[in-house]
Amino acid sequence: MSYLDLARGRYSCRSFEDRSVEQAVVDAIVEAGRIAPSACNNHPSRVMVLDTPELLEKAAACQPRFARDGSIFGAPLIFLICSVTEDAWVRPYDQMNSSEIDTSIVCDQMMMEATEQGLGTCWVCHFKPEVAQEQFNLPEGVYPYHMLVCGYPADHIADSEHREARTIPLSDFLLK
């Protein structure tokens, strides 16, 4: 499958089968994140695998609005993607810290590998970071940016016409 086919086939899945994800699949997703590029090769990203009922319940506590069946959207697997912000590259001109960018690249690569492995995914940023820090006892200086919710999908992708209608037109996407 080409990368564009993979990218077109990925969607935000919010309904999952009640079955766990095999360890080999989890390992492949983690590896995709581990090898992600980062600014100045600093690699500030850190990932926590949430795959037990206790850990999934803690993830759901970070955003109760999405809680379902003891997890977020009932998913059997969530990756909490964090950054050691002091390890990230900082742009000297305006002090922009690359943590958000670096963790986004990690999350994206993991999301696409999960899709390649036949999983549904949903990239969740709408959660309370301070609750995640407390729930997962994150060390000082480790900031949670994203949750990548994964599992075998129990729903279907929208038809291509519906998806195209929700995508930005190329004429708007390209700046001139």
Short mmCIF file of all heavy atoms in Angstrom, two decimals, residues 168-176:
data_model
loop_
_atom_site.label_atom_id
_atom_site.label_comp_id
_atom_site.label_asym_id
_atom_site.label_seq_id
_atom_site.Cartn_x
_atom_site.Cartn_y
_atom_site.Cartn_z
N ILE A 168 -9.74 19.99 3.45
CA ILE A 168 -9.51 21.33 2.91
C ILE A 168 -9.22 21.25 1.41
O ILE A 168 -8.44 20.39 0.96
CB ILE A 168 -8.35 22.03 3.67
CG1 ILE A 168 -8.20 23.49 3.22
CG2 ILE A 168 -7.05 21.25 3.52
CD1 ILE A 168 -7.24 24.28 4.08
N PRO A 169 -9.86 22.10 0.61
CA PRO A 169 -9.57 22.10 -0.83
C PRO A 169 -8.11 22.49 -1.08
O PRO A 169 -7.54 23.31 -0.36
CB PRO A 169 -10.52 23.17 -1.40
CG PRO A 169 -11.57 23.35 -0.35
CD PRO A 169 -10.92 23.03 0.97
N LEU A 170 -7.53 21.93 -2.12
CA LEU A 170 -6.13 22.22 -2.45
C LEU A 170 -5.91 23.71 -2.68
O LEU A 170 -4.90 24.26 -2.25
CB LEU A 170 -5.72 21.41 -3.70
CG LEU A 170 -4.27 21.58 -4.14
CD1 LEU A 170 -3.33 21.11 -3.04
CD2 LEU A 170 -4.03 20.80 -5.43
N SER A 171 -6.88 24.38 -3.28
CA SER A 171 -6.74 25.82 -3.54
C SER A 171 -6.65 26.62 -2.25
O SER A 171 -6.03 27.69 -2.21
CB SER A 171 -7.89 26.33 -4.40
OG SER A 171 -9.13 26.10 -3.75
N ASP A 172 -7.27 26.15 -1.18
CA ASP A 172 -7.18 26.82 0.13
C ASP A 172 -5.92 26.39 0.89
O ASP A 172 -5.38 27.16 1.68
CB ASP A 172 -8.40 26.51 0.99
CG ASP A 172 -9.67 27.12 0.44
OD1 ASP A 172 -9.59 28.05 -0.39
OD2 ASP A 172 -10.75 26.66 0.85
N PHE A 173 -5.49 25.17 0.68
CA PHE A 173 -4.36 24.60 1.40
C PHE A 173 -3.04 25.26 1.00
O PHE A 173 -2.19 25.55 1.83
CB PHE A 173 -4.30 23.10 1.17
CG PHE A 173 -3.19 22.40 1.90
CD1 PHE A 173 -3.19 22.29 3.28
CD2 PHE A 173 -2.13 21.85 1.19
CE1 PHE A 173 -2.17 21.64 3.94
CE2 PHE A 173 -1.10 21.20 1.85
CZ PHE A 173 -1.12 21.09 3.24
N LEU A 174 -2.87 25.52 -0.29
CA LEU A 174 -1.63 26.10 -0.81
C LEU A 174 -1.67 27.62 -0.69
O LEU A 174 -2.60 28.27 -1.19
CB LEU A 174 -1.42 25.71 -2.27
CG LEU A 174 -1.14 24.24 -2.53
CD1 LEU A 174 -1.10 23.98 -4.03
CD2 LEU A 174 0.15 23.82 -1.87
N LEU A 175 -0.66 28.18 -0.04
CA LEU A 175 -0.53 29.63 0.03
C LEU A 175 0.14 30.13 -1.23
O LEU A 175 1.07 29.51 -1.75
CB LEU A 175 0.30 30.03 1.24
CG LEU A 175 -0.32 29.78 2.59
CD1 LEU A 175 0.69 30.11 3.71
CD2 LEU A 175 -1.58 30.61 2.79
N LYS A 176 -0.30 31.28 -1.70
CA LYS A 176 0.30 31.84 -2.93
C LYS A 176 0.88 33.18 -2.65
O LYS A 176 0.54 33.90 -1.80
CB LYS A 176 -0.74 31.93 -4.02
CG LYS A 176 -1.21 30.53 -4.39
CD LYS A 176 -2.19 30.58 -5.51
CE LYS A 176 -2.62 29.14 -5.71
NZ LYS A 176 -3.41 28.84 -6.74
#
